[in-house]
Amino acid sequence: MKLLHKVKRHIADNELFDKQSKLLVTVSGGVDSVVMLNVLSELGFNLSIAHCNFKLRGVESDKDENFVRNLAMHMNLPIYVQEFDTEIYARNHKIGIQEAARNLRYAWFFELIDENGLDFINVAHNANDNTETVLFNLSRGAGLEGMRGIVAKNNRVVRPLLSCSREEIMIYADNHGLTFRNDSSNDSVKYSRNRIRHHVIPEMEKINPSLHTTILRNCGVAQKLTNFVEQCMKHEIEKLIVKQTPGCILTIDIGTLMHMENNTLVLYYILREFNYTYSDCQDVISCLKGEPGKIFEADGYKLLKDREYLFLKQLGNEVTIQEYHFTLDNYPDDWPAELKLELIETNNPLDILTPELSVAYVDADRISGSFILRKWQKGDRFKP
Amino acid sequence: MKLLHKVKRHIADNELFDKQSKLLVTVSGGVDSVVMLNVLSELGFNLSIAHCNFKLRGVESDKDENFVRNLAMHMNLPIYVQEFDTEIYARNHKIGIQEAARNLRYAWFFELIDENGLDFINVAHNANDNTETVLFNLSRGAGLEGMRGIVAKNNRVVRPLLSCSREEIMIYADNHGLTFRNDSSNDSVKYSRNRIRHHVIPEMEKINPSLHTTILRNCGVAQKLTNFVEQCMKHEIEKLIVKQTPGCILTIDIGTLMHMENNTLVLYYILREFNYTYSDCQDVISCLKGEPGKIFEADGYKLLKDREYLFLKQLGNEVTIQEYHFTLDNYPDDWPAELKLELIETNNPLDILTPELSVAYVDADRISGSFILRKWQKGDRFKP
């Protein structure tokens, strides 16, 4: 009864769904999903079952399928079952079996709810899964994003058991005489996760017996904090990004960046999706005042420090150096510069020569045809 | 040689100090502090030694002191030694031994550098200590702040060994034939820390052998992120806090709060130092549209939801309801309201009565003496 109450409150607190919602309950046959199915049924929700047969454990996989089919029959619930060629898919897409199984099942779940007018996909992650995810992310260095753990509601995927510990789920199954299937893949496939589950977490629970609840609460705040940071970052980033330059993914204003508080962090939030590390961004920031021309490479990208701007470009498929032909009356449509050509008629050329850094004077009598604008290339010389 | 280079770079990257700095090196006699002393000496810095004798381990404590005195003599460095009555201090201040020792030594270190014209206090925390701190904070639920770990430079306290693992430090000691003392308190006193050190971390290192470096990098970003969040929060909080109300610690504008993005999080950043949890703040936010009068209590504080404002007050030492006596010409010095009294002379009183919510008309002929301004109390009635 305690678990029932906990789930009910979790559903309300996180606004997962309501009594009108049509729920797809994904049931593997393991204790978590069997308890989820029973709890949602006891709470009187409108349910359909989905079961995936990944054909990865031979006859065991088929026994799981039969178990879930029987469960659906006894509970008088509609059931959808799908078989997958997980190994072939993994091989074809050059990904691991776990990732293949995840891609396949979520693609199918979304298809199912779209085709059958259902609202939410219920997945049986619990508080222990969340703690494992946080510790796993921490050990790999996933930062604030990793500290968010598993979210209770992500678009149309919901997790009604997320606030319950594995122990509470086992006790519920026991008290209600529920039968379930043991997933034999659990112990072998998820090597790192099992290390965390069986060795790390029990020790940390000795320090804090309410570890899962504590971490779950932290994750909630980390989720809100991530939103807040992203919202603030958006404002900061908008100040930095200037109008698009042809051939560039991003153009960043150096002057603004130099005078911005927390500029390394903001730059990192811009560049991290292009494989730059925080340390790379520290290097960039420390070179802002230096000579132009410096290039910072990351996997697949390069960042050029010019005079006023940082230009981010893709590596590899670089376009041949673009040329823009222009005359006094004719600029091309994609004219990228603020450069303008002006004809000054005079009998005393030397009189009009006022020295300015952004102006060059050329004798119109000595040239013909069109001008060409292109980037500086090795060997080019210019004496103002 | 590798460690020497690592420390040198860490000092430069984090701008800990330079060749002109006068460093106080705190040496317990354990391997970390002995290696720190040797590395800083090899790097040619200007050093003085400080050693605390906490008198907690009888003859062992005195042997440590002698060891460090000898070390200083051989290295020809000035040394400061202080004995503490740690147990008496702990008893008098009703705090634990560890906290007492920390308070005592830092108070003395700061005294030392002030009195002797020194610049920085060098403490021998390493990358493993940092990982332990992060995991300890995580298990207790310390949020983003806890993920910052140990900082390389905090005001005048610096940690030159922070980027080095315990293993690297041991190898350096071994290669340089350094002798050091084993701290026997290490295994018994810090119970939770040792659980993390001996059981949790070794398992996590099997998942990521560069665990300490990974976590150290994460901590760096978490430190910057905390700064960024605090800076953004400051802006948001400024929008919410309105002018002080007598008897209140804080007055928060409900209208602004209701329409603010991430309002629960912002409210949490305001109220967390007054013992409110994130969940308390969720409750407050969900009641903003409701009737006034609701009170939310946290340890030592209460938050009153009024019509336009949230008032935060201290519990316990509540003042008796304050009264302000005023007349036409005389307002008290601490006059809290924008209320003003004005005498209008007229022969046709009904002509001047323009209905306005913020104005009340009273017949001057029918009153005498001073007015009293006070909060609404049960039983008060007013018909405009």
Side-chain angles (χ1 to χ4, degrees):
Chain A
M1 201 53 194
K2 209 175 155 241
L3 186 101
L4 208 68
H5 182 70
K6 206 166 185 179
V7 174
K8 197 175 168 181
R9 209 176 128 174
H10 173 76
I11 292 170
D13 282 355
N14 294 280
E15 298 176 5
L16 295 193
F17 41 72
D18 56 34
K19 278 284 154 70
Q20 278 68 51
S21 307
K22 288 174 184 165
L23 307 182
L24 184 71
V25 188
T26 65
V27 182
S28 68
V31 63
D32 295 334
S33 60
V34 167
V35 166
M36 169 172 71
L37 181 66
N38 272 270
V39 168
L40 291 177
S41 167
E42 275 205 54
L43 291 173
F45 287 102
N46 179 342
L47 310 178
S48 306
I49 295 176
H51 176 77
C52 303
N53 188 336
F54 294 108
K55 294 277 177 192
L56 289 171
R57 290 169 298 117
V59 69
E60 287 294 308
S61 292
D62 295 334
K63 281 187 181 170
D64 288 351
E65 180 182 327
N66 284 336
F67 173 82
V68 180
R69 281 190 188 276
N70 275 324
L71 199 59
M73 202 172 65
H74 279 104
M75 295 179 78
N76 202 19
L77 293 174
I79 180 168
Y80 308 92
V81 175
Q82 180 82 333
E83 292 186 359
F84 296 100
D85 272 329
T86 319
E87 277 170 355
I88 292 176
Y89 180 90
R91 219 176 304 133
N92 288 347
H93 289 76
K94 287 173 184 149
I95 54 176
I97 288 286
Q98 292 296 317
E99 194 183 346
R102 190 170 51 244
N103 291 354
L104 285 168
R105 72 173 173 267
Y106 274 103
W108 180 56
F109 292 155
F110 280 109
E111 247 178 68
L112 266 185
I113 62 170
D114 284 343
E115 284 172 7
N116 298 285
L118 307 177
D119 300 307
F120 296 104
I121 300 161
N122 283 260
V123 183
H125 285 120
N126 61 38
N128 293 52
D129 293 324
N130 182 60
T131 305
E132 288 161 20
T133 299
V134 168
L135 286 168
F136 183 61
N137 289 347
L138 182 75
S139 67
R140 290 184 317 169
L144 177 62
E145 275 83 0
M147 293 302 103
R148 285 178 301 183
I150 301 173
V151 293
K153 184 174 191 169
N154 183 10
N155 195 3
R156 293 191 293 170
V157 177
V158 291
R159 295 174 171 97
L161 292 194
L162 194 60
S163 67
C164 311
S165 71
R166 187 163 293 137
E167 199 188 344
E168 290 172 314
I169 290 168
M170 292 303 294
I171 289 171
Y172 181 93
D174 201 41
N175 287 345
H176 290 72
L178 301 181
T179 52
F180 50 88
R181 304 268 304 159
N182 278 311
D183 184 348
S184 65
S185 76
N186 219 14
D187 301 320
S188 57
V189 179
K190 305 177 201 160
Y191 174 79
S192 297
R193 275 205 170 262
N194 279 323
R195 189 168 288 290
I196 289 172
R197 177 179 305 181
H198 297 302
H199 300 288
V200 174
I201 290 179
E203 291 296 330
M204 292 183 77
E205 279 183 306
K206 287 178 194 160
I207 297 170
N208 176 4
S210 323
L211 182 72
H212 302 304
T213 311
T214 301
I215 289 196
L216 210 55
R217 199 174 51 227
N218 256 3
C219 286
V221 179
Q223 283 162 25
K224 304 292 177 183
L225 211 48
T226 312
N227 290 347
F228 180 75
V229 167
E230 264 164 25
Q231 179 205 329
C232 297
M233 277 294 169
K234 228 180 97 190
H235 290 302
E236 296 300 293
I237 290 171
E238 275 168 9
K239 297 176 197 164
L240 290 178
I241 302 292
V242 293
K243 67 174 196 312
Q244 214 52 321
T245 314
C248 283
I249 300 169
L250 285 175
T251 309
I252 299 166
D253 186 80
I254 289 177
T256 313
L257 184 61
M258 256 182 356
H259 297 99
M260 180 175 273
E261 256 187 288
N262 301 299
N263 50 13
T264 315
L265 191 71
V266 179
L267 187 66
Y268 172 60
Y269 265 75
I270 299 175
L271 294 181
R272 61 183 186 164
E273 61 176 304
F274 304 103
N275 307 323
Y276 286 85
T277 65
Y278 189 81
S279 158
D280 292 336
C281 295
Q282 284 177 308
D283 293 343
V284 175
I285 293 289
S286 69
C287 291
L288 288 185
K289 284 183 185 167
E291 282 297 292
K294 189 142 186 160
I295 288 172
F296 303 86
E297 284 198 16
D299 191 21
Y301 299 94
K302 68 172 183 182
L303 184 77
L304 170 74
K305 187 222 167 289
D306 206 335
R307 280 171 206 285
E308 292 175 51
Y309 303 109
L310 293 169
F311 297 108
L312 180 71
K313 300 183 180 203
Q314 200 138 17
L315 269 181
N317 61 348
E318 283 173 85
V319 222
T320 47
I321 293 170
Q322 208 164 349
E323 293 186 349
Y324 298 92
H325 294 253
F326 64 104
T327 62
L328 199 54
D329 322 301
N330 196 8
Y331 296 91
D333 285 344
D334 57 346
W335 185 241
E338 280 171 29
L339 190 70
K340 287 272 174 287
L341 200 60
E342 198 183 332
L343 185 70
I344 305 174
E345 293 188 48
T346 173
N347 289 326
N348 302 308
L350 289 175
D351 288 355
I352 56 149
L353 289 178
T354 52
E356 254 185 274
L357 259 173
S358 60
V359 177
Y361 295 92
V362 181
D363 188 345
D365 293 334
R366 297 172 72 174
I367 52 169
S368 66
S370 65
F371 285 80
I372 299 173
L373 174 75
R374 63 159 170 78
K375 292 259 168 199
W376 180 88
Q377 279 174 39
K378 215 169 171 173
D380 286 347
R381 293 180 63 194
F382 178 70
K383 253 200 174 143
Chain B
M1 199 55 192
K2 212 177 153 237
L3 186 100
L4 207 68
H5 181 71
K6 207 166 181 177
V7 174
K8 197 175 168 181
R9 208 176 128 174
H10 172 76
I11 292 170
D13 282 356
N14 294 279
E15 298 175 7
L16 294 194
F17 41 73
D18 56 34
K19 279 283 154 73
Q20 278 68 54
S21 309
K22 289 175 185 163
L23 308 182
L24 184 71
V25 188
T26 66
V27 183
S28 68
V31 62
D32 295 334
S33 60
V34 167
V35 165
M36 170 171 70
L37 181 66
N38 272 271
V39 167
L40 292 176
S41 167
E42 276 205 52
L43 290 173
F45 287 103
N46 178 342
L47 310 179
S48 307
I49 295 177
H51 176 78
C52 303
N53 187 336
F54 295 108
K55 294 278 178 190
L56 290 170
R57 290 170 297 117
V59 69
E60 287 294 308
S61 293
D62 295 333
K63 281 187 182 171
D64 288 352
E65 181 182 327
N66 284 335
F67 173 83
V68 179
R69 281 191 188 275
N70 275 323
L71 200 59
M73 202 173 65
H74 279 105
M75 294 178 80
N76 202 20
L77 292 174
I79 180 167
Y80 308 94
V81 176
Q82 180 82 333
E83 292 187 358
F84 297 100
D85 272 329
T86 319
E87 276 169 354
I88 293 176
Y89 181 91
R91 220 175 305 133
N92 288 347
H93 289 76
K94 288 176 183 146
I95 53 176
I97 288 285
Q98 292 295 317
E99 194 182 345
R102 188 170 53 244
N103 291 355
L104 286 168
R105 72 172 172 267
Y106 274 103
W108 179 56
F109 294 154
F110 280 109
E111 248 179 67
L112 266 186
I113 61 170
D114 283 345
E115 284 173 7
N116 298 285
L118 308 177
D119 300 307
F120 297 104
I121 300 161
N122 283 259
V123 183
H125 285 120
N126 60 38
N128 293 53
D129 294 324
N130 181 60
T131 305
E132 288 161 20
T133 298
V134 168
L135 285 167
F136 183 61
N137 290 347
L138 182 75
S139 68
R140 290 185 317 169
L144 177 60
E145 276 83 0
M147 293 303 104
R148 286 179 301 184
I150 302 173
V151 293
K153 184 174 191 167
N154 182 10
N155 194 4
R156 293 190 293 168
V157 177
V158 290
R159 296 177 172 95
L161 292 194
L162 194 59
S163 67
C164 311
S165 72
R166 187 163 293 135
E167 200 189 344
E168 289 171 314
I169 291 168
M170 293 303 295
I171 289 170
Y172 181 93
D174 200 42
N175 287 346
H176 290 72
L178 300 180
T179 52
F180 51 86
R181 306 266 306 158
N182 278 312
D183 185 348
S184 64
S185 76
N186 219 13
D187 301 320
S188 58
V189 179
K190 305 178 200 157
Y191 174 79
S192 297
R193 277 208 169 259
N194 278 324
R195 189 169 287 290
I196 289 172
R197 178 178 304 181
H198 298 302
H199 300 290
V200 173
I201 291 179
E203 291 297 331
M204 291 182 78
E205 280 183 305
K206 288 179 192 159
I207 297 169
N208 177 3
S210 324
L211 182 71
H212 302 303
T213 312
T214 301
I215 289 195
L216 209 55
R217 199 174 51 229
N218 256 3
C219 287
V221 179
Q223 284 162 24
K224 304 291 178 185
L225 211 48
T226 313
N227 290 347
F228 180 75
V229 167
E230 264 165 25
Q231 178 205 327
C232 296
M233 276 296 169
K234 227 180 97 189
H235 291 302
E236 297 300 294
I237 290 172
E238 274 168 11
K239 297 177 197 162
L240 290 179
I241 303 291
V242 294
K243 65 171 199 312
Q244 213 52 318
T245 315
C248 284
I249 300 171
L250 285 175
T251 309
I252 300 166
D253 186 80
I254 290 178
T256 313
L257 184 62
M258 257 183 353
H259 297 98
M260 180 176 273
E261 256 188 288
N262 301 298
N263 51 12
T264 315
L265 191 72
V266 179
L267 187 65
Y268 173 60
Y269 265 74
I270 298 176
L271 295 181
R272 61 183 185 165
E273 61 175 304
F274 304 104
N275 307 324
Y276 287 84
T277 65
Y278 189 83
S279 158
D280 293 335
C281 296
Q282 284 177 309
D283 293 343
V284 175
I285 294 288
S286 70
C287 292
L288 288 185
K289 284 184 184 165
E291 282 297 292
K294 190 145 187 162
I295 287 171
F296 303 86
E297 284 198 17
D299 191 22
Y301 298 94
K302 69 172 182 180
L303 184 77
L304 169 73
K305 187 219 168 289
D306 206 336
R307 280 170 208 284
E308 291 174 51
Y309 303 109
L310 293 169
F311 297 108
L312 180 71
K313 301 185 180 200
Q314 199 135 18
L315 269 181
N317 61 348
E318 284 173 86
V319 223
T320 48
I321 292 170
Q322 205 164 351
E323 293 187 352
Y324 298 91
H325 294 253
F326 64 103
T327 62
L328 200 52
D329 323 298
N330 195 9
Y331 296 90
D333 284 344
D334 57 344
W335 184 241
E338 281 170 29
L339 190 70
K340 287 270 174 288
L341 202 61
E342 196 181 334
L343 185 69
I344 306 174
E345 294 189 44
T346 173
N347 290 325
N348 302 306
L350 289 175
D351 288 355
I352 56 149
L353 289 178
T354 50
E356 254 184 275
L357 260 174
S358 59
V359 177
Y361 294 93
V362 180
D363 189 343
D365 292 335
R366 297 172 70 174
I367 53 170
S368 66
S370 66
F371 285 80
I372 298 172
L373 175 75
R374 63 160 169 77
K375 292 259 167 198
W376 179 88
Q377 280 175 39
K378 215 167 170 174
D380 286 346
R381 293 179 63 194
F382 178 71
K383 250 200 177 142

